[in-house]
Amino acid sequence: MDLFSPVSLGDLHLPNRVVMAPLTRTRSGALGVPGPLVAEHYAQRASVGMIISEGTYPSHESRSYPGQPGIVTEKQIEGWRAVADAVHARGGRIVMQLMHGGRVSHTDITGTDRIVAPSAIAIDGSTHGPNGKVAFPVPHALLTDELATVREQFVTAAKNALAAGLDGVELHGANGYLLHQFLSPASNHREDAYGRSPEARARFVVEVTTAVAEAVGAGRVGIRLSPMHNIQGALEEDFDDAKSTYDAVIDGIAPLGLAYVSVLHADPTGELVQELRERFNGPFIVNSGFGGLTTRDEAIALVEGAHADAVAVGRLAIANPDLVERWKGAHPENEPQPATFYGAGAEGYTDYPRLSA
Ligand SMILES: Cc1cc2nc3c(=O)[nH]c(=O)nc-3n(C[C@H](O)[C@H](O)[C@H](O)COP(=O)(O)O)c2cc1C
């Protein structure tokens, strides 16, 4: 298949297979409301096959970063409506990544009285709150009967996203955030039906995905997974355990008819990822992670080699508002500037030039 050919992921119809990866940019202020600058940023990138938004929190307690946007308050929903309208006005599509940070946070960031996770195990390390560096706290281990509340927060957030005019939602099951914390044996020491075995650790992810799919339509719901990514303390170091866990996730969600599964893994053509793809037997997006930039050659090879239906591109989509035009014509690219990835304001956000400029 040609990277520049159209593809349908459930109810999402993409004119090409270059997907803008979810990218946290922390430009939505203390109240987590995406403003006109955020709308402009995404609208500039509307010619990709589909935009996946930055990780967006479904409840105040689930916020991971200062400046991160939410989809909880009326103002946040209104802000996202303007983003979706701006992307649609330029002919694009945007789905919202719903990201519950779980223990990757601090009450200085959430403004709530607790941080939650599958188990009361802190990440070894620190994060940046609005008032500076703080150690990751020991989180409150969610009680079994609190899980339904978290699940419903995802459902409400998904409904809010679609009500705001977004084209779909992606559940963030990757990179060490809450859903991934349930999957990893390092962060999940639960003794109830959600812990102890790979199948039980997969249960919450399956339940949340099922509930969101039932609420807004499976054809508008995707999920991102990062097996054995070993980040933020969500370690998965035993191959057999990880394989069983992710097999259980896929077996649980495959019957739903989701729009797609998106996998981040250093070796997307390898056995682990490709077996998950076969098992899922539906639209599949890949990304090879943080090691090196996703290049044009890599993206073309992944799609031409039939390893994926589409490729999620991160840093080069930050740096090139016209990435698809550049890649189509094999034109040179702007270089990403990491110093402004998590900054505030327009610098390194909306000021990367287009080729035509
Ligand atoms: C600044 C930055 C922010 C990111 N934020 C998110 C995020 O919110 N959600 C997510 O799933 N991945 C996030 N990622 C990971 C990217 O989606 C992507 O997997 C990663 O950048 C590797 O792809 P690349 O080589 O094309 O950049 C982020 C990466 C970067 C560089």
Side-chain angles (χ1 to χ4, degrees):
M1 272 297 170
D2 179 354
L3 182 66
F4 305 105
S5 68
V7 64
S8 290
L9 313 175
D11 296 341
L12 307 166
H13 305 294
L14 285 55
N16 62 71
R17 296 158 187 259
V18 180
V19 168
M20 181 172 165
L23 294 153
T24 291
R25 306 301 305 281
T26 64
R27 278 158 171 93
S28 294
L31 298 178
V33 175
L37 188 70
V38 176
E40 175 58 16
H41 168 77
Y42 284 117
Q44 286 176 343
R45 288 156 180 77
S47 60
V48 295
M50 171 174 88
I51 294 167
I52 302 169
S53 83
E54 61 208 281
T56 301
Y57 57 89
S59 61
H60 293 295
E61 194 170 75
S62 65
R63 186 182 204 172
S64 274
Y65 301 106
Q68 186 191 5
I71 184 75
V72 187
T73 67
E74 271 312 312
K75 287 253 178 301
Q76 291 168 349
I77 296 168
E78 273 170 41
W80 280 112
R81 184 170 296 122
V83 172
D85 287 350
V87 169
H88 292 154
R90 305 247 190 120
R93 291 137 302 279
I94 180 166
V95 309
M96 177 181 290
Q97 188 183 56
L98 297 179
M99 169 178 152
H100 191 310
R103 65 180 188 161
V104 184
S105 193
H106 189 280
T107 50
D108 281 4
I109 295 168
T110 59
T112 59
D113 56 12
R114 64 176 199 178
I115 296 298
V116 303
S119 299
I121 306 166
I123 299 175
D124 183 15
S126 59
T127 186
H128 289 276
N131 312 312
K133 212 168 149 180
V134 281
F136 282 116
V138 176
H140 162 72
L142 286 160
L143 306 175
T144 306
D145 62 11
E146 290 174 325
L147 295 180
T149 306
V150 176
R151 188 188 70 218
E152 288 316 303
Q153 288 166 349
F154 274 104
V155 167
T156 302
K159 288 181 180 166
N160 286 346
L162 292 205
L166 281 96
D167 300 292
V169 294
E170 173 178 295
L171 300 171
H172 197 344
N175 299 356
Y177 298 103
L178 182 80
L179 295 179
H180 196 186
Q181 289 158 28
F182 273 86
L183 299 175
S184 160
S187 44
N188 179 346
H189 289 189
R190 299 181 70 88
E191 299 275 326
D192 63 2
Y194 297 85
R196 287 190 293 223
S197 70
E199 295 73 22
R201 278 185 266 116
R203 186 187 310 272
F204 190 57
V205 175
V206 173
E207 285 183 0
V208 169
T209 311
T210 303
V212 170
E214 278 172 4
V216 302
R220 297 192 175 278
V221 178
I223 182 168
R224 191 174 214 201
L225 301 168
S226 61
M228 305 190 84
H229 187 28
N230 296 340
I231 188 170
Q232 311 199 104
L235 308 180
E236 293 159 331
E237 293 173 309
D238 178 325
F239 181 90
D240 293 337
D241 183 277
K243 175 99 175 74
S244 303
T245 306
Y246 285 88
D247 281 356
V249 171
I250 296 294
D251 290 349
I253 65 177
L256 299 172
L258 296 179
Y260 65 88
V261 165
S262 176
V263 172
L264 182 157
H265 189 277
D267 182 12
T269 67
E271 197 183 317
L272 178 65
V273 177
Q274 290 303 312
E275 283 187 12
L276 290 176
R277 181 184 185 199
E278 271 171 40
R279 212 173 176 101
F280 178 57
N281 195 25
F284 207 70
I285 301 176
V286 298
N287 174 274
S288 57
F290 294 83
L293 297 179
T294 305
T295 62
R296 175 181 187 272
D297 287 352
E298 182 191 350
I300 288 174
L302 286 166
V303 170
E304 282 187 354
H307 300 296
D309 300 291
V311 178
V313 185
R315 289 160 289 184
L316 283 177
I318 288 178
N320 296 276
D322 50 353
L323 185 67
V324 173
E325 292 80 350
R326 287 180 194 247
W327 276 8
K328 250 189 197 165
H331 300 296
E333 297 145 355
N334 299 323
E335 224 180 280
Q337 304 297 326
T340 49
F341 281 175
Y342 304 107
E347 193 193 348
Y349 192 53
T350 50
D351 62 355
Y352 284 104
R354 305 182 82 85
L355 194 60
S356 54

